[in-house]
Amino acid sequence: MYPTVGGRRRSIAVTSLILAAIMTLCAVLTNRLLTGYLTSEFERQAREQAAIMAAGPSFRPIQNDADALKALLNEWQAISGARLALLDSTGRVTAASDAPRPESDPSNARPEAAAAPAAHEEADADLVQRVDPVTGQESLFITLPVAEGSPAVARLRFVLPMTGLNERLALLRNEVRGLAALAGLLLLTLSILHQERTAQTIRQLTDVADRITTGELSARILSLNTGDMGKLTRAFNRMAGELEREIQKQERGRDRLYTVMHVMADGVLILTRKGKVRMINPAAAALLHTNESTAEGRSFIQVVRDHRIAEVWQRCQERGEQEVAALELGPDRFLRIIVTPFLRGADRGYVVILQDLTRMRRLQTVRQDFVSNVSHELRTPLASLRALADTLRDGALDDPPAAIRFLDRMDVEVDSLTQLVEELFELVRIESGQVPLHLRRASVGSVAGGGAERLRAQADRKELKLTVAISEDLPDILVDPDRVQQVITNLVHNAVKFTPPKGSISVSAQRHTDEFIVVSVSDTGIGIPPDDLPRIFERFYKIDRARTSGGTGLGLAIAKHIVQSHGGAIWAESMPERGSIFYLTLPIFTSEEG
Ligand code: ADP
């Protein structure tokens, strides 16, 4: 947490106190040093002056001349500024200079005192600092023996007022105090600036860290700081960069995994060591009838809700190796489950792959059904052929008219076998996309009408009324005419087959939508029971084998494939005993396609 305003104030107050204490100490010490030095220097100079005077000219010739003595002392006082006195060997004042008269202090004017020097003045101490009773000023008293004196003039007293020194000292003290205060203020300002800068960097660091936490990985600190703070911000930016790169790397990895899992057709679940679903892809969610958000975080058993699937995982967990199992989940649902343990450091867990085998099984069943249907369809004509051949061998050859009848029936069986094989071949080719469509612009009349007309002779033979009513105003269609004619022929052929004599069949066409024409083939035949109607387009589907006249059950399956490959649809409506209508839609030719 960066310093708050209160925290900063406290910190400034503490710094100020410390600085004030340090500066006061510095000022006191400096003053003491200065005072000591200047005082001793003052004393040294005074002593030197006094010594020069004491060692000066001989007093002896004028020792009894009070005026001459006084004149000399006054002269010296004028030079040195010190009050001077000569003492005899007993310490009594023999002569003294006039007392100084500082104008500034009238109280100092004590001429009488100067005229009559104090008899009690001491002469013993060499150097004493005390108040001069004559001037009333703090002064330095120096008493020295006179070099060439006499008993009357034995010592010289040098009394130098310390006013000048004290004034200088007071001035210097003030200067030192002022400088200390200035330096203190300067240091305080620098310290506050430094603290503020540090606080600002900390605020930025906190702010950027917060932004990174909320996902703004590119957030960085713009700092011109040098020194430790600069190092810290640079280290922080480096760390943020590393973090961003690492997170981006992880995100890329996760995206790749996510994409792979989402495009996989197989169901995939990633489980933790304890069997919690960490990830589930949409295919697995669909297979298990759940959704990703519900499943994630729940236990595998809760998600699959099937003890058999859970058991496969439990086996894998116990044995530590891949387990594979195929399960039948419902009446028509098959699932293969593969559980593989992955053991990478702390990231241990399991990958579960669920493969929906339902479609594969259904295809297998369709293939099996197809084979059994084909064998069944082949078995009937082959059995007939065998029976006819056996009959011929067993004696029918001896009866030529019967033999010819049998041979005719064998012809019929061979024809139906041939038709079956041809239709099968056709269906397989169409279903595998091996029959290319030759799309052309054609009129509905030529295609649908042409297909119907092929059956006119058969319809006439059965006394069926075949009507083709197709308006010439209808737009042209874009189809493979041969294939579509084949479909129409097939539908009309069925109508002829399933309509009793005297019935009628009609082929007509209308515009269905902007893009399609609908062609209908209706009859007044036996109709199709509602239960069978949805299945008549399946391969080999025949309604009631007894009523069919040798069909293979493949015609409508082939028709459906051809119509669908044109982008159209085919369907039927029917009422048993009343008749059926088959509809098919065909694409209208547009100028763009031309
Ligand atoms: P098939 O070659 O046996 O005719 P299709 O696939 O053409 O086979 O027809 C499947 C079945 O649909 C036929 O067996 C028949 O029972 C029924 N069916 C088809 N068309 C008609 C129709 N117009 N009227 C009544 N039943 C029909």
Side-chain angles (χ1 to χ4, degrees):
M1 191 65 201
Y2 53 83
T4 58
V5 175
R8 284 216 303 286
R9 277 198 193 135
R10 248 195 321 280
S11 151
I12 290 170
V14 170
T15 315
S16 311
L17 275 177
I18 293 172
L19 277 173
I22 292 172
M23 285 303 123
T24 312
L25 200 69
C26 283
V28 168
L29 286 175
T30 312
N31 278 335
R32 193 173 281 182
L33 265 171
L34 274 173
T35 310
Y37 172 74
L38 286 176
T39 311
S40 69
E41 195 59 17
F42 181 78
E43 283 173 2
R44 191 183 59 76
Q45 281 177 9
R47 197 190 284 267
E48 265 176 17
Q49 274 186 324
I52 289 167
M53 288 175 192
S58 173
F59 290 97
R60 206 169 292 222
I62 53 165
Q63 62 179 311
N64 297 319
D65 184 348
D67 289 336
L69 283 175
K70 192 173 180 71
L72 184 65
L73 291 179
N74 275 341
E75 193 183 321
W76 285 356
Q77 177 174 309
I79 296 166
S80 65
R83 190 169 66 77
L84 295 160
L86 288 167
L87 313 177
D88 67 10
S89 51
T90 62
R92 212 175 54 84
V93 176
T94 315
S97 61
D98 290 332
R101 295 178 192 186
E103 284 157 25
S104 55
D105 188 1
S107 67
N108 280 343
R110 290 169 60 188
E112 66 292 350
H120 65 270
E121 280 181 330
E122 296 152 31
D124 50 339
D126 176 33
L127 192 146
V128 178
Q129 193 183 320
R130 59 181 164 85
V131 176
D132 184 358
V134 178
T135 58
Q137 289 173 331
E138 178 78 15
S139 305
L140 193 66
F141 286 72
I142 302 171
T143 313
L144 292 174
V146 172
E148 289 180 41
S150 63
V153 183
R155 280 185 289 178
L156 172 77
R157 176 182 292 143
F158 187 89
V159 183
L160 189 62
M162 295 181 79
T163 340
L165 174 70
N166 285 342
E167 276 168 9
R168 256 180 82 196
L169 279 177
L171 214 69
L172 268 174
R173 269 189 213 111
N174 281 341
E175 270 174 22
V176 168
R177 273 192 217 111
L179 278 174
L182 204 69
L185 266 176
L186 201 71
L187 283 175
L188 184 66
T189 315
L190 284 175
S191 158
I192 290 171
L193 280 177
H194 181 70
Q195 277 186 24
E196 189 45 48
R197 212 157 139 184
T198 309
Q200 197 184 351
T201 311
I202 293 172
R203 271 200 301 278
Q204 282 181 340
L205 275 169
T206 317
D207 180 47
V208 170
D210 282 348
R211 279 160 57 198
I212 290 175
T213 312
T214 54
E216 200 188 320
L217 293 176
S218 56
R220 296 286 182 281
I221 302 166
L222 269 176
S223 170
L224 301 173
N225 267 319
T226 51
D228 288 345
M229 269 327 207
K231 271 189 206 156
L232 178 65
T233 50
R234 280 193 294 280
F236 185 90
N237 280 345
R238 265 201 308 279
M239 185 192 72
E242 280 299 319
L243 193 72
E244 186 181 8
R245 272 191 291 283
E246 197 51 42
I247 289 177
Q248 279 173 349
K249 211 165 99 187
Q250 282 191 10
E251 273 177 356
R252 276 200 296 277
R254 215 176 41 222
D255 284 352
R256 276 199 287 269
L257 179 65
Y258 184 85
T259 313
V260 169
M261 282 190 68
H262 273 67
V263 297
M264 269 184 84
D266 287 343
V268 181
L269 291 106
I270 295 177
L271 308 184
T272 63
R273 195 154 42 113
K274 294 199 169 150
K276 278 226 157 63
V277 176
R278 185 183 284 171
M279 241 180 171
I280 179 170
N281 74 343
L287 271 173
L288 299 170
H289 305 294
T290 179
N291 60 54
E292 290 161 68
S293 53
T294 323
E296 276 169 12
R298 300 178 86 180
S299 76
F300 183 54
I301 299 167
Q302 276 177 315
V303 173
V304 295
R305 294 185 304 255
D306 188 304
H307 69 96
R308 289 168 300 170
I309 303 180
E311 275 164 16
V312 182
W313 166 64
Q314 274 157 358
R315 274 206 303 279
C316 171
Q317 203 183 21
E318 282 159 19
R319 295 180 189 164
E321 54 189 45
Q322 191 181 65
E323 282 291 320
V324 183
L327 304 172
E328 188 175 343
L329 292 189
D332 203 11
R333 270 195 79 206
F334 300 90
L335 197 73
R336 179 190 284 146
I337 164 165
I338 305 161
V339 187
T340 315
F342 62 86
L343 306 160
R344 252 187 48 203
D347 209 21
R348 295 173 66 170
Y350 303 88
V351 178
V352 181
I353 296 177
L354 302 174
Q355 291 173 333
D356 190 357
L357 301 182
T358 312
R359 221 175 98 80
M360 225 171 75
R361 286 287 174 101
R362 208 175 283 152
L363 279 174
Q364 232 170 4
T365 315
V366 167
R367 213 161 31 229
Q368 280 164 359
D369 286 354
F370 184 76
V371 172
S372 72
N373 278 327
V374 170
S375 353
H376 182 85
E377 291 301 324
L378 288 173
R379 206 174 291 131
T380 317
L382 284 175
S384 298
L385 280 172
R386 171 160 290 267
L388 289 165
D390 283 351
T391 316
L392 280 173
R393 196 179 295 119
D394 290 349
L397 273 176
D398 301 332
D399 178 0
I404 287 174
R405 235 179 18 252
F406 284 135
L407 282 176
D408 284 345
R409 281 183 52 195
M410 284 173 91
D411 254 353
V412 172
E413 294 301 344
V414 169
D415 280 351
S416 95
L417 263 179
T418 311
Q419 189 196 347
L420 174 71
V421 170
E422 275 173 2
E423 285 188 1
L424 261 178
F425 184 63
E426 170 101 357
L427 182 71
V428 169
R429 273 181 10 119
I430 291 175
E431 277 189 350
S432 60
Q434 285 175 21
V435 184
L437 286 181
H438 301 290
L439 295 180
R440 276 200 287 116
R441 177 182 184 169
S443 69
V444 187
S446 68
V447 177
E453 289 306 333
R454 288 185 192 166
L455 272 300
R456 188 166 289 282
Q458 274 194 44
D460 289 347
R461 268 204 298 279
K462 241 183 128 178
E463 295 176 53
L464 296 170
K465 189 177 164 220
L466 175 65
T467 322
V468 178
I470 296 171
S471 158
E472 296 212 336
D473 297 341
L474 282 174
D476 285 346
I477 48 178
L478 183 74
V479 292
D480 183 332
D482 293 343
R483 294 273 153 200
V484 176
Q485 264 187 10
Q486 183 188 343
V487 174
I488 305 288
T489 309
N490 194 295
L491 295 178
V492 178
H493 188 229
N494 279 348
V496 171
K497 267 200 294 190
F498 298 107
T499 307
K502 309 266 189 255
S504 60
I505 299 165
S506 85
V507 178
S508 62
Q510 279 90 37
R511 200 182 173 118
H512 186 55
T513 60
D514 285 349
E515 292 167 51
F516 287 96
I517 292 286
V518 62
V519 179
S520 56
V521 178
S522 63
D523 63 58
T524 56
I526 59 172
I528 302 162
D531 289 348
D532 295 301
L533 198 57
R535 301 194 59 190
I536 53 171
F537 295 98
E538 287 176 18
R539 293 184 301 199
F540 297 108
Y541 197 80
K542 295 184 218 167
I543 294 171
D544 176 3
R545 290 183 185 275
R547 70 176 187 163
T548 58
S549 46
T552 56
L554 292 175
L556 288 180
I558 294 172
K560 187 182 81 177
H561 276 294
I562 293 174
V563 173
Q564 284 180 347
S565 62
H566 280 85
I570 184 165
W571 69 98
E573 292 169 0
S574 181
M575 277 175 83
E577 309 308 328
R578 300 282 296 275
S580 316
I581 314 176
F582 282 80
Y583 299 97
L584 60 118
T585 55
L586 296 168
I588 293 174
F589 170 86
T590 61
S591 52
E592 284 163 35
E593 284 151 340

